[in-house]
DNA sequence: TGCCACAACTTGATCGTTCAAACTCACCCT
DNA sequence: AGGGTGAGTTTGAACGATCAAGTTGTGGCA
């Protein structure tokens, strides 16, 4: 393949190979329609000229760009962003396998959010969107549905059971395996630190922790609640440590909470892992730096599902029958090994 | 603007307004060529139909997509990624102001890196690239130059003074303002925790810290070196704390180091801010969570410069005379306020 | 030999936009 | 009145790909 600035067009390849444009096109898309020797000749020329079909021309013809939009949000909390980044990464890596690519955009004040989404579709910049950080009362799913703009969400669309274009982490399962892991490591009691009851994500995670106790006919361990803030988490962790005692463990609904538990434990001279087991949720950069065991989000599976879903919808398929819950794994580090 | 799935084309607008395609096109790009009443009529119809020019058609015509590629790297350390995310965000937000948008891609093993870059340009998926995490001996700048593919780098191209398509944070200035801030806060001595000598980024930052002392004819404070790892940072911070003593401060070359200092200080019962001043570098999520004062990267200025640079190069302009150093600011938090 | 079927390949038209060239017409000057 | 000027607008062509419809040629069979 030669390295030259001017890109080769299908016509140049056709001329060089002594065939027509269509034969070149067929060689790439429907090779079975081209006779052996011809196919080989065309392929050699394609290789020599470094020909790649123009995405712009293909988009114009097919009325499909292959691009999926993803909004990056500056206003998200540090914790949210800690998940957003690995997720864009997963999307970007998996997109080619779905014949697409990812276009990121930020919400600047100039665009009143939703019309910005519409503009991107109207101008054929993207075919569809992937939403993250969907929250209860999020106007985007409804609005996009109304505008007939395809989308798929990372995160359950909690208030709207009829909207099924989503994939999410099975939070209950995450806390289940976290709790089971801590018990298997020999920690005496497993407490839970999460958000105040009523948060759907939080309640879901707590359910997994509680379920393990029920399965084993064990009395429920101690629990505490805090808002998503290091100070609050550390403060709430204190009493919890008293209850589980040295040799116990705490499963947390987020890495921030796990960090708080670690700080509280360190303050009383307890070493994480040895004196107290700790497990976080998200396996974010925080957990990595602090060497905290954490529930690892199955971001690649989720990215694959969402991208596949969009591809199907763009191909005319009806919405899926239901959303998809994906089971997370566990990244084990020193905070849960004695 | 009506909300309908089918996008309006320029022809539909032209017909509805009783003018030709070209007049519609002119109304958007060269309004001065269109007579007042006609212009108004066309604009009204555009608004009514919600017309937006097709990016695909424009790209085909102009041989320019407006897309800038940015590689997201899974292999980067947690710290690197902590900067990457806010940077993609800045790029995504600023791109529209430069008539462009950002396409992210991951380096999957299927593509041998560099040819992946070339493929994206050949297939007209992107016009140019923005590079981050450029390191000494990075093959990309040279290779892209050779392939005549426009790029702009976030980070000096250290080994190659003849390559000028970059913008970087003025690290010396960052440590200068950090050191000055700590002294102004009344901390007695300001030490420095950085990477082992020889790292160009590290030496640059250290220079700013040293310069403040020289300016004020003060003896240089104590310093220590460590690798970019929390354990190493905490270990190196211990002796440094002994040297600056309670009431002193430490300016760090990264947030990870600052966190290490905080851990070491906490271990001896010193409260950050009150007993010891701490300042990090990057103002990353780590600093935010731990409430650490930190040097804040001017990511939006850098994004603007790089995007503008690419736009110029695509317009045929020669490479810039020199790279650009942008002065960072300071995000002041409790770790440097008594 | 004549006809059909089918494989292999080519040609024309189209996607939506913009540049360049052509056209129209009111206006001015001689 | 005739011709030139120029503002305002229209038309044709092109960007590069693919679908649909056309053409060519080979082989089989009656």
């Amino acid at each position: 393949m030669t390295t030259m600035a001017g890109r080769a067009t299908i016509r140049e390849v056709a001329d060089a190979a002594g065939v027509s444009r269509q034969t070149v096109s067929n060689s790439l898309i429907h090779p079975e329609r081209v006779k052996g020797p011809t196919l080989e000749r065309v392929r050699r020329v394609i290789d020599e000229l470094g020909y790649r079909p123009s995405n712009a021309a293909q988009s114009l013809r097919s009325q499909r760009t292959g691009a999926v939009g993803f909004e990056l949000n500056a206003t998200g909390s540090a914790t949210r962003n800690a998940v957003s980044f690995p997720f864009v990464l997963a999307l970007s890596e998996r997109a080619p396998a779905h014949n697409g690519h990812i276009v990121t955009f930020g919400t600047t004040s100039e665009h009143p959010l939703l019309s910005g989404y519409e503009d991107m579709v109207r101008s054929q910049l993207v075919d569809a969107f992937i939403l993250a950080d969907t929250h209860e009362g999020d106007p985007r799913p409804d609005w996009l549905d109304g505008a007939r703009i395809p989308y798929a969400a990372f995160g359950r669309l909690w208030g709207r059971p009829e909207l099924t274009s989503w994939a999410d982490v099975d939070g209950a399962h995450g806390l289940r395996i976290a709790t089971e892991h801590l018990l298997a490591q020999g920690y005496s009691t497993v407490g839970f630190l999460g958000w105040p009851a009523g948060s759907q994500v939080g309640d879901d995670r707590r359910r997994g922790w509680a379920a393990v106790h029920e399965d084993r006919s064990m009395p429920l361990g101690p629990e505490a609640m805090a808002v998503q803030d290091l100070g609050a988490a550390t403060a709430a962790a204190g009493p919890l440590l008293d209850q589980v005692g040295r040799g116990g463990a705490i499963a947390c609904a987020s890495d921030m909470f796990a960090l708080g538990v670690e700080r509280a434990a360190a303050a009383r001279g307890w070493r994480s892992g040895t004196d107290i087991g700790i497990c976080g949720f998200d396996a974010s950069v925080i957990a990595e730096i602090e060497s905290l065991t954490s529930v690892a989000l199955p971001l690649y599976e989720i990215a694959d599902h969402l991208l596949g879903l969009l591809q199907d919808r763009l191909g005319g398929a009806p919405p899926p029958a239901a959303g998809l819950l994906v089971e997370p794994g566990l990244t084990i580090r020193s905070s849960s090994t004695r």
Side-chain angles (χ1 to χ4, degrees), chain A residues 214-291:
Chain A
E214 199 168 320
D215 287 354
R216 308 191 174 198
S217 311
M218 289 168 61
L220 212 54
E223 57 186 302
M225 309 300 169
V227 293
Q228 183 76 357
D229 166 276
L230 184 52
T234 312
L240 208 48
L241 286 176
D242 291 333
Q243 293 177 271
V244 300
R246 180 174 264 185
I250 297 178
C252 304
S254 82
D255 282 340
M256 176 76 88
F257 290 147
L259 179 56
V261 172
E262 216 239 350
R263 304 302 286 286
R268 58 182 65 185
W270 293 7
R271 298 198 40 181
S272 95
T274 319
D275 302 313
I276 181 86
I278 307 175
C279 183
F281 200 110
D282 280 351
S284 67
V285 56
I286 305 173
E288 184 182 342
I289 289 176
E290 302 280 345
S291 188

Side-chain angles (χ1 to χ4, degrees), chain A residues 20-40:
Chain A
S20 69
R21 305 176 325 258
Q22 187 60 33
T23 300
V24 177
S25 178
N26 283 337
S27 303
L28 290 169
I29 314 178
H30 305 289
E32 77 282 2
R33 295 187 191 162
V34 182
K35 215 170 162 184
T38 315
L39 181 58
E40 227 170 291

